[in-house]
Amino acid sequence: MSDKKVRVRFAPSPTGGLHLGGVRTVLYNYLFAKKHGGDFILRIEDTDQTRFVPGAEEYIFECLKWAGLEPDESARHGGNYGPYRQSERKELYRNYADQLVAEGHAYYAFDTPEELEQMRKQYKTDENPAPQYDQKIRMQMRNSLTLDGDTVHELMHSDTPYVIRIKMPENETVSFNDMIRGEVSFNTSVVDDKVLLKADGMPTYHLAVVVDDHLMEISHAFRGEEWLPSAPVHVLLWKYLFGEDKMPQWAHFPLILGPHGKLSKRDGAKYGFPVFAMNWKDPKSGELTEGFKEKGFLPEAFINLLAVLGWNDGTEQELFSIEEMIDKFSMDRVHSAGAKFDYEKAKWFNQEWIKKLDGSVLLPQVREILVAKGVDVADDALLGRVIELVKDRSTLLSDFYEQASYFFATPQVIDLAAIQPKWNEAKTLFFQEVIRNYQLAGIWEAHELENNFKEIAAANQLKPGEVMLPLRIMLVGGKFGPGVFDIAQIIGKDETIKRIENTLKQLSTGN
């Protein structure tokens, strides 16, 4: 680590849902910044206006807020290095692009879309099925390298559309040190002349990311490994514009893998698990993609499972609070190989975090789920007791509806099919006696209720196991839930008796 203050950034494009790979990139940036007393910046990369999606920027902020990974600086949070949207920084980039042209590192290109398409057809071969605008082809195209000065001047001053492209050097090696992968080298001959400034005056990502990282004093640039092929362009731009010694330290994170390679949005739709942090509804198609939040994941579990998808602290520990992650995180423990996403393991993390958190922490979220399903929850103290009783049985927050709703509302459906095969007159008489006993009970406490129940069973020559399951089904509707007498204690005498009577009535009529 140098003496330079740690400043890291996440720079998403507002084009759709926030993929869990993007949230992991945020998380690693955030952990690194907090570990080293630095700043985490969110910068919106909206230079491609054709891909801009209304609502996507707000959605990104809401996702990070839910995950507890809010930036120190952003268009929403402010800061001393704004604007934090690239579209609002448009005027900054032109001078840098012109400087590159003046120094021979870039050039003006006037090729029309039709001419570019013709080039791809003309130079297509079996060995080169997708020709690029590179050092082999640029001298056959219409640009300031092939046209005389007067023609270039005339085109530029007659409103002819043009772009500025980097002039990649021939057969040079570009190297940099990656904090995860060590020294990485590229030969410039295999990299095309990327567009730096588009015809509308907006920069492409390649120019904007370098200029903005410089002006925002970014010390470390962390991103997914899909950006590795672009790294030589960015290294050269740093060299040409600001000097390589000013360049941030790089790290390229491994991919998150799905069943068939890189985890994609389609994997989620195909295999039935979320890939976005929160629900995303495409404003054009209306297509809704489910998020981890709406699926019933806790933010604590979500960031925990993402942290260990590509990093570990060198121990067997799997559950980490955000404070523990900040304390233990180091870039040298981030893997270079891809990590496979396992939805069953993700659910395990969520279940463990539900067990781990105090009921008071879970209460607002559980109340919201119950109320949304039409369950009237007026007593928070009661809800807190219920959560503590059933949380070990809940994998997702949505499970609390099934596990907790019967404490607040009489079950609408009773699983009679689970009772009827072994039901007989003796059991009917037994439960009628239980009702009479419970009506007279002076103490309504789980232990006392259980003792009475077992005494009556013994007097009727019934084993407790024969009648315990029917009692559970009478009270909750099915074969699930915590201790049945704990349930009876919480729902109270009147409700317990009412539910037993209701089920006996259905069993007698066969309904």
Side-chain angles (χ1 to χ4, degrees):
M1 295 293 298
S2 68
D3 293 334
K4 187 177 180 182
K5 183 177 183 181
V6 168
R7 287 177 58 80
V8 299
R9 50 48 176 185
F10 177 58
S13 298
T15 56
L18 185 56
H19 188 275
L20 58 90
V23 184
R24 189 190 62 176
T25 297
V26 172
L27 176 60
Y28 287 0
N29 273 282
Y30 182 92
L31 295 177
F32 189 85
K34 300 308 170 189
K35 168 95 174 186
H36 298 287
D39 298 323
F40 167 54
I41 295 99
L42 179 69
R43 186 174 70 219
I44 299 295
E45 306 263 1
D46 60 347
T47 57
D48 189 346
Q49 295 294 295
T50 62
R51 297 178 64 227
F52 176 79
V53 176
E57 180 183 318
E58 293 78 8
Y59 166 87
I60 291 167
F61 279 109
E62 290 307 307
C63 286
L64 299 192
K65 182 178 180 180
W66 170 69
L69 303 173
E70 294 214 55
D72 299 298
E73 300 173 23
S74 74
R76 180 175 288 189
H77 298 81
N80 298 324
Y81 294 82
Y84 292 94
R85 294 185 190 92
Q86 285 186 335
S87 60
E88 297 173 10
R89 301 169 64 85
K90 179 178 177 180
E91 303 310 317
L92 292 170
Y93 306 109
R94 177 80 212 198
N95 289 340
Y96 292 104
D98 285 339
Q99 177 187 331
L100 290 165
V101 175
E103 294 175 357
H105 302 306
Y107 57 92
Y108 304 114
F110 303 94
D111 316 276
T112 65
E114 294 75 20
E115 288 169 335
L116 292 171
E117 184 58 33
Q118 179 58 37
M119 175 271 287
R120 295 184 191 102
K121 291 179 181 177
Q122 181 178 344
Y123 293 100
K124 181 177 180 180
T125 64
D126 291 340
E127 294 76 26
N128 187 16
Q132 299 185 93
Y133 204 122
D134 57 18
Q135 54 200 273
K136 300 184 190 72
I137 286 175
R138 64 187 172 214
M139 296 310 291
Q140 315 304 318
M141 304 302 291
R142 208 157 58 96
N143 54 56
S144 58
L145 302 176
T146 60
L147 301 171
D148 62 69
D150 290 342
T151 304
V152 169
H153 184 271
E154 182 181 334
L155 288 170
M156 290 184 67
H157 291 82
S158 60
D159 294 329
T160 301
Y162 66 90
V163 300
I164 294 179
R165 291 179 178 271
I166 188 172
K167 184 183 178 185
M168 290 299 289
E170 295 187 32
N171 200 30
E172 284 188 13
T173 299
V174 173
S175 301
F176 67 93
N177 184 66
D178 189 289
M179 294 176 71
I180 297 170
R181 300 157 195 279
E183 185 169 320
V184 181
S185 298
F186 298 85
N187 188 293
T188 57
S189 298
V190 299
V191 184
D192 61 313
D193 292 359
K194 303 287 187 190
V195 174
L196 302 179
L197 201 75
K198 294 177 283 190
D200 62 1
M202 289 292 273
T204 62
Y205 172 80
H206 305 294
L207 178 62
V209 71
V210 171
V211 171
D212 288 344
D213 281 355
H214 171 71
L215 295 177
M216 292 185 178
E217 299 182 15
I218 300 302
S219 63
H220 296 76
F222 303 149
R223 57 191 184 180
E225 69 175 36
E226 63 270 24
W227 288 105
L228 265 174
S230 301
V233 175
H234 303 160
V235 172
L236 286 174
L237 289 175
W238 273 101
K239 177 181 176 181
Y240 298 152
L241 291 172
F242 311 115
E244 283 187 80
D245 59 317
K246 302 286 197 305
M247 190 168 70
Q249 289 182 256
W250 297 88
H252 290 81
F253 300 137
L255 295 174
I256 295 179
L257 305 175
H260 304 289
K262 183 181 178 182
L263 184 67
S264 71
K265 172 187 170 183
R266 290 178 296 280
D267 285 331
K270 185 174 181 180
Y271 297 103
F273 54 75
V275 294
F276 289 165
M278 292 169 60
N279 276 4
W280 169 252
K281 186 173 184 179
D282 189 302
K284 294 181 181 177
S285 67
E287 179 187 3
L288 179 69
T289 306
E290 189 175 31
F292 279 87
K293 177 179 183 285
E294 290 76 12
K295 193 74 174 177
F297 277 78
L298 288 162
E300 294 88 346
F302 181 55
I303 63 171
N304 189 164
L305 71 91
L306 287 181
V308 298
L309 268 177
W311 168 83
N312 68 68
D313 71 336
T315 73
E316 296 299 312
Q317 183 176 345
E318 292 186 282
L319 296 179
F320 296 89
S321 67
I322 187 69
E323 293 79 14
E324 288 175 310
M325 287 184 229
I326 291 169
D327 180 57
K328 294 173 180 288
F329 186 78
S330 65
M331 201 59 70
D332 58 5
R333 298 294 311 178
V334 176
H335 311 153
S336 59
K340 191 164 186 178
F341 174 71
D342 180 345
Y343 185 53
E344 292 306 310
K345 184 69 172 180
K347 289 195 292 185
W348 176 85
F349 274 103
N350 205 59
Q351 185 174 35
E352 291 302 309
W353 269 99
I354 286 175
K355 292 178 188 176
K356 187 180 174 77
L357 291 178
D358 188 84
S360 61
V361 177
L362 298 169
L363 193 147
Q365 297 163 90
V366 175
R367 189 204 298 112
E368 184 179 337
I369 288 166
L370 294 175
V371 170
K373 291 274 195 175
V375 179
D376 184 20
V377 183
D379 187 339
D380 275 359
L382 173 59
L383 179 56
R385 288 172 62 200
V386 169
I387 290 171
E388 288 296 345
L389 203 56
V390 305
K391 68 179 186 178
D392 286 3
R393 292 169 167 77
S394 301
T395 299
L396 301 171
L397 287 174
S398 49
D399 295 338
F400 276 98
Y401 172 68
E402 181 184 51
Q403 295 294 343
S405 60
Y406 55 83
F407 285 97
F408 303 93
T410 304
Q412 296 299 302
V413 178
I414 303 296
D415 185 8
L416 295 176
I419 300 176
Q420 286 168 327
K422 295 184 178 181
W423 193 255
N424 55 38
E425 184 64 23
K427 291 178 182 176
T428 299
L429 294 172
F430 164 76
F431 276 101
Q432 288 172 345
E433 189 173 344
V434 168
I435 290 170
R436 287 193 294 273
N437 182 280
Y438 280 3
Q439 284 171 334
L440 298 171
I443 300 173
W444 194 260
E445 188 270 329
H447 182 69
E448 195 73 22
L449 296 173
E450 183 174 3
N451 285 340
N452 290 351
F453 188 86
K454 289 179 177 178
E455 287 171 4
I456 299 167
N460 285 269
Q461 298 182 325
L462 290 168
K463 294 177 181 178
E466 294 180 74
V467 285
M468 202 80 84
L469 179 62
L471 176 62
R472 175 178 297 282
I473 294 170
M474 290 171 180
L475 298 189
V476 308
K479 297 187 284 187
F480 56 89
V484 68
F485 298 102
D486 292 321
I487 297 169
Q489 178 180 329
I490 289 177
I491 65 176
K493 178 191 287 192
D494 292 347
E495 184 66 20
T496 297
I497 291 170
K498 185 180 90 171
R499 294 185 189 187
I500 296 173
E501 289 177 334
N502 176 49
T503 307
L504 289 178
K505 183 178 178 182
Q506 290 187 49
L507 285 165
S508 68
T509 61
N511 296 324

